[in-house]
C-alpha cells in the first residue's frame, strides 16, 4: 500500500513536541473502536483450533469476507492521509501517477490467481520453492519478505500514532504503544480469522465513511463542478494529468510495474488467495475488491481536491501537505462529520498493520522455522512459533516507531523496489514456463535483489528508474542462467515440505 511520503511528517512533529488539546469525543470513539476489535479477536481465538486456521482461515474464506478483508488490507490510514496530502500539494495528477498503477496491479493479479491456487501452497516462499525445486529458496525469500513486512509495520505505526495524536491530543509516545498493543493482541489471538473479521468491519466502515465525508464536502462547497473550478483556478497544474513535471510517462510506467510487482509478491496477498475456499472465490474477491478500491480511490482524490479548496477558502494553509487532512478534521468540519471521518481513519489504522503482523508470524514459522526443522514440526508448535514471533516483531516495530528515523519513506520506496526487482519476473514467468532452470530462477532473484535497491541507493544514475534496472537485471539473470543450466539439470529436485 503506498504511503506517499506521509511519514516524513513524523520526525518533524515529534522533534517539535507538537500535540493538540485532548479531545474527549474523538478519544472516546478511539477507545470504543479498540475495544470492538479486541472483542473480535477474543471471539476468533475460540475459533482458531489448528495452524491452518491461524495461517489461512482453514482455507474456508468466502467471497464476501475475502473481498472486504482485501479492501481493508489494501488501504491504510497513512495512505488516506497521504493521498489527500498529495492532492493538496500536487493536484489530481496522483490519479495518473500512482492510482492507475495500483489498479492495474490488482487487475494483473486476477489473471494469475489460478496458477497460484493450482500449486496448493500456503505462502509465497512455498511457491518459489516449488518453481525452483530448491527448498532453500523458502528461507531466502522468507527473510526478504520478513524485512519488508517489518519495515511496513514501523511505517504504519508511525503514521497511525501521529494521526491519532493530532486528533485526540494524547502524546505520541503513549498512543503508539496503545495502538501497537491492540493490534498485536487481536492478531495473536485469532490469526487470519481475527484479521479477516476485523477487516470486514474496518473495510465497510472505511469506504462508507469516506463517501459520507465527500458528500458533506460537496454540499458544503457548492457541488463537484464548483470544487473543480475553484481547484483549477488555484493552479492549472492541479487538473493536469501529469501535473507540472510531477510525473513523466516513463515514471508512470515504472509506477505501474512497481505496484504490480509489490502487490503480486506480497506475502499477505498470496496468503489471502490461498485462504479462499476455491479458485472462483479467489477470482471473485479480487475482481470485486478491485472495483471497490477503484471507486474508493476516486472518492479519495475528489476529497483531496475538496480539502484543498476548503482550507484555502478558510485561510487554513498548512506548511506540510500531510497535515491537510488532519487540519480539515480538527479545524474545519463540524464535530459530527469529524467523527465520521475518524471512524474511516481508525478503520485503516488496524486493517493494514494487522495483516503485515500476521504475515510476519506466518513467514517466521512456515518459511524459516519449519525449514530448519526439516518440516517435521507439529502444527501445534508451528502455531505457537507464529504467535511468539508475532508478539516479538510487533513489540520491536512499536519500540522503533516511538522514535522513528527520518528516512522511513525512503525505506518504503526501497521495499517496493526490492520486492518487484527480486521476485516479479522470475516467479511470474516460471508460473507459466515450468521448464525454466531452478538455478536460473535463483540467480534472477539474487540479481534483482542486488541491482534494484542498489541502483536506488546510487540515486538512479542515467535517469533510469531503479525498478527498471532491477527488473532488467532479473530478466538478464533468468535468460542467461537458463541458457547455461538448462542442459545440466537432469531431474529438478522437488520440495519435500508438506502443507499444513
Amino acid at each position: 500500500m503506498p504511503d506517499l511520503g506521509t511519514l516524513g511528517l513524523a520526525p518533524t512533529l515529534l522533534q517539535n513536541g507538537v500535540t493538540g488539546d485532548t479531545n474527549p469525543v474523538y478519544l472516546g470513539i478511539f477507545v470504543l473502536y479498540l475495544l470492538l476489535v479486541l472483542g473480535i479477536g477474543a471471539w476468533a481465538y475460540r475459533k482458531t483450533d489448528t495452524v491452518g486456521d491461524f495461517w489461512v482461515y482453514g482455507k474456508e474464506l468466502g467471497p464476501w469476507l475475502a473481498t472486504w478483508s482485501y479492501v481493508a488490507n489494501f488501504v491504510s490510514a497513512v495512505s488516506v492521509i497521504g493521498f489527500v496530502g498529495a492532492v493538496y500539494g500536487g493536484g489530481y495528477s496522483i490519479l495518473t501517477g500512482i492510482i492507475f498503477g495500483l489498479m492495474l496491479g490488482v487487475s494483473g493479479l486476477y489473471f494469475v490467481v489460478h496458477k497460484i491456487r493450482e500449486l496448493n501452497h500456503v505462502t509465497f516462499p512455498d511457491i518459489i520453492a516449488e518453481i525452483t525445486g530448491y527448498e532453500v529458496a523458502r528461507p531466502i525469500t522468507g527473510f526478504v519478505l520478513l524485512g519488508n513486512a517489518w519495515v511496513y509495520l514501523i511505517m504504519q505505526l508511525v503514521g497511525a500514532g501521529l494521526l491519532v495524536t493530532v486528533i485526540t491530543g494524547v502524546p505520541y509516545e503513549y498512543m503508539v504503544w496503545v495502538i501497537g498493543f491492540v493490534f498485536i493482541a487481536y492478531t495473536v489471538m485469532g490469526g487470519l480469522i481475527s484479521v479477516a473479521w476485523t477487516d470486514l468491519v474496518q473495510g465497510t466502515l472505511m469506504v462508507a465513511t469516506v463517501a459520507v465525508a465527500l458528500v458533506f464536502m460537496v454540499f458544503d462547497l457548492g457541488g463537484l463542478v464548483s470544487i473543480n473550478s475553484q481547484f483549477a483556478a488555484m493552479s492549472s497544474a492541479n487538473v493536469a494529468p501529469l501535473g507540472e513535471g510531477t510525473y513523466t510517462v516513463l515514471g508512470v510506467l515504472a509506477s505501474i510495474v512497481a505496484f504490480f510487482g509489490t502487490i503480486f509478491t506480497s506475502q499477505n496477498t498470496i496468503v489471502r488467495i490461498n485462504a479462499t475456499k476455491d479458485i472462483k472465490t479467489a477470482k471473485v474477491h479480487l475482481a470485486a475488491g478491485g472495483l471497490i478500491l477503484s471507486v474508493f480511490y476516486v472518492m479519495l482524490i475528489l476529497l483531496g481536491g475538496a480539502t484543498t479548496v476548503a482550507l484555502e477558502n478558510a485561510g487554513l494553509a498548512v506548511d506540510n501537505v500531510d497535515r491537510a487532512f488532519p487540519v480539515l478534521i480538527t479545524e474545519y468540519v463540524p464535530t459530527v462529520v469529524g467523527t465520521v471521518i475518524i471512524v474511516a481513519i481508525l478503520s485503516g489504522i488496524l486493517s493494514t498493520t494487522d495483516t503485515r503482523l500476521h504475515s510476519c508470524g506466518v513467514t517466521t514459522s512456515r518459511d524459516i522455522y519449519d525449514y530448519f526443522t526439516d518440516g517435521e514440526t507439529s502444527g501445534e508448535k508451528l502455531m505457537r512459533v507464529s504467535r511468539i514471533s508475532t508478539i516479538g516483531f510487533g513489540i520491536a516495530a512499536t519500540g522503533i516507531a516511538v522514535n522513528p528515523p527520518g528516512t522511513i519513506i525512503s525505506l518504503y520506496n526501497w521495499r517496493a523496489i526490492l520486492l518487484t526487482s527480486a521476485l516479479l519476473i522470475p516467479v511470474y514467468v516460471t508460473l507459466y514456463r515450468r521448464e525454466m532452470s531452478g538455478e536460473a530462477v535463483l540467480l534472477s532473484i539474487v540479481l534483482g535483489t542486488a541491482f534494484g535497491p542498489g541502483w536506488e541507493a546510487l540515486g538512479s544514475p542515467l535517469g533510469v528508474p531503479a525498478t527498471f534496472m532491477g527488473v532488467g537485471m532479473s530478466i538478464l539473470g533468468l535468460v542467461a542462467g537458463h541458457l547455461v543450466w538448462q542442459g545440466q539439470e537432469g531431474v529438478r529436485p522437488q520440495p519435500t515440505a508438506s502443507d499444513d
Side-chain angles (χ1 to χ4, degrees):
M1 183 56 251
D3 295 328
L4 303 175
T6 60
L7 297 174
L9 176 62
T12 302
L13 289 185
L14 295 179
Q15 290 167 7
N16 294 336
V18 176
T19 58
D21 296 330
T22 301
N23 186 314
V25 175
Y26 292 155
L27 182 58
I29 293 170
F30 180 65
V31 171
L32 288 175
Y33 188 88
L34 296 184
L35 291 175
L36 171 63
V37 295
L38 281 174
I40 293 175
W43 169 82
Y45 178 77
R46 302 179 61 185
K47 301 290 184 180
T48 306
D49 299 320
T50 68
V51 69
D53 294 335
F54 192 91
W55 285 349
V56 288
Y57 204 91
K59 294 196 172 184
E60 291 294 330
L61 201 59
W64 181 255
L65 190 57
T67 296
W68 283 104
S69 180
Y70 187 74
V71 168
N73 155 67
F74 207 87
V75 181
S76 68
V78 182
S79 69
V80 172
I81 303 303
F83 279 134
V84 172
V87 174
Y88 181 90
Y92 291 144
S93 58
I94 189 177
L95 192 63
T96 307
I98 300 295
I99 295 178
F100 186 55
L102 281 173
M103 293 305 97
L104 283 181
V106 175
S107 301
L109 188 61
Y110 176 88
F111 296 102
V112 76
V113 163
H114 64 289
K115 288 292 182 180
I116 296 173
R117 287 303 301 262
E118 285 171 2
L119 292 173
N120 194 32
H121 288 307
V122 174
T123 66
F124 198 80
D126 281 335
I127 294 174
I128 295 180
E130 170 78 16
I131 64 180
T132 62
Y134 290 96
E135 276 290 288
V136 72
R138 289 173 59 208
I140 290 174
T141 311
F143 279 116
V144 173
L145 295 175
L146 200 57
N148 161 68
W150 191 57
V151 169
Y152 212 107
L153 277 176
I154 296 171
M155 294 190 297
Q156 289 297 312
L157 281 167
V158 172
L162 170 64
L163 177 62
V164 180
T165 291
V166 170
I167 292 169
T168 65
V170 177
Y172 173 87
E173 60 270 21
Y174 301 134
M175 186 53 68
V176 74
W177 276 111
V178 170
I179 295 172
F181 168 78
V182 170
F183 86 79
I184 290 171
Y186 79 75
T187 304
V188 166
M189 284 191 284
L192 191 59
I193 296 179
S194 287
V195 170
W197 280 100
T198 53
D199 282 352
L200 173 63
V201 174
Q202 292 158 351
T204 305
L205 288 173
M206 190 165 50
V207 174
T209 51
V210 165
V212 169
L214 177 59
V215 168
F216 170 82
M217 295 300 294
V218 167
F219 277 99
D220 186 64
L221 296 172
L224 277 177
V225 174
S226 175
I227 291 173
N228 290 329
S229 297
Q230 294 179 70
F231 196 44
M234 293 169 63
S235 172
S236 59
N238 283 338
V239 293
L242 296 177
E244 287 185 346
T246 305
Y247 299 101
T248 63
V249 173
L250 185 63
V252 171
L253 292 175
S255 171
I256 293 171
V257 174
F259 281 119
F260 172 64
T262 302
I263 294 167
F264 175 66
T265 56
S266 293
Q267 180 82 305
N268 55 280
T269 298
I270 301 301
V271 167
R272 267 180 171 74
I273 289 173
N274 289 320
T276 53
K277 56 186 179 182
D278 51 41
I279 293 176
K280 180 180 178 181
T281 301
K283 283 183 171 290
V284 167
H285 103 276
L286 283 176
L291 176 61
I292 294 170
L293 286 168
S294 297
V295 174
F296 177 80
Y297 280 127
V298 169
M299 290 194 302
L300 203 56
I301 296 307
L302 293 174
L303 184 58
T307 297
T308 306
V309 171
L311 295 184
E312 174 73 14
N313 292 345
L316 294 171
V318 296
D319 55 358
N320 187 307
V321 298
D322 301 312
R323 295 195 65 193
F325 204 35
V327 169
L328 179 79
I329 298 170
T330 58
E331 302 294 333
Y332 183 85
V333 300
T335 300
V336 173
V337 178
T339 300
V340 170
I341 298 176
I342 295 300
V343 171
I345 295 172
L346 292 179
S347 297
I349 291 174
L350 297 180
S351 63
T352 303
T353 50
D354 59 18
T355 298
R356 267 56 182 193
L357 185 58
H358 175 255
S359 295
C360 284
V362 173
T363 302
T364 301
S365 58
R366 168 67 184 179
D367 301 314
I368 299 175
Y369 182 83
D370 189 51
Y371 171 80
F372 287 107
T373 56
D374 297 322
E376 297 179 356
T377 309
S378 68
E380 182 180 349
K381 188 167 186 178
L382 285 175
M383 186 157 64
R384 185 162 61 249
V385 171
S386 292
R387 282 178 163 147
I388 292 173
S389 57
T390 296
I391 294 171
F393 279 105
I395 291 175
T398 305
I400 291 178
V402 170
N403 186 25
T407 57
I408 294 180
I409 190 58
S410 65
L411 293 178
Y412 175 82
N413 294 331
W414 174 84
R415 61 164 287 276
I417 293 168
L418 170 65
L419 290 180
T420 301
S421 301
L423 302 176
L424 175 60
I425 294 301
V427 178
Y428 196 88
V429 168
T430 49
L431 281 175
Y432 290 90
R433 295 285 303 275
R434 299 298 302 279
E435 70 273 14
M436 293 298 295
S437 161
E439 291 92 339
V441 174
L442 292 177
L443 176 62
S444 177
I445 292 173
V446 170
L447 289 179
T449 300
F451 278 89
W455 198 253
E456 175 72 8
L458 293 174
S460 298
L462 307 177
V464 178
T467 301
F468 285 172
M469 176 57 68
V471 169
M473 292 304 297
S474 180
I475 294 173
L476 178 63
L478 188 66
V479 174
H482 184 66
L483 291 175
V484 171
W485 281 302
Q486 64 177 335
Q488 304 176 18
E489 282 195 316
V491 179
R492 176 187 292 183
Q494 295 299 314
T496 58
S498 59
D499 292 326
D500 292 281

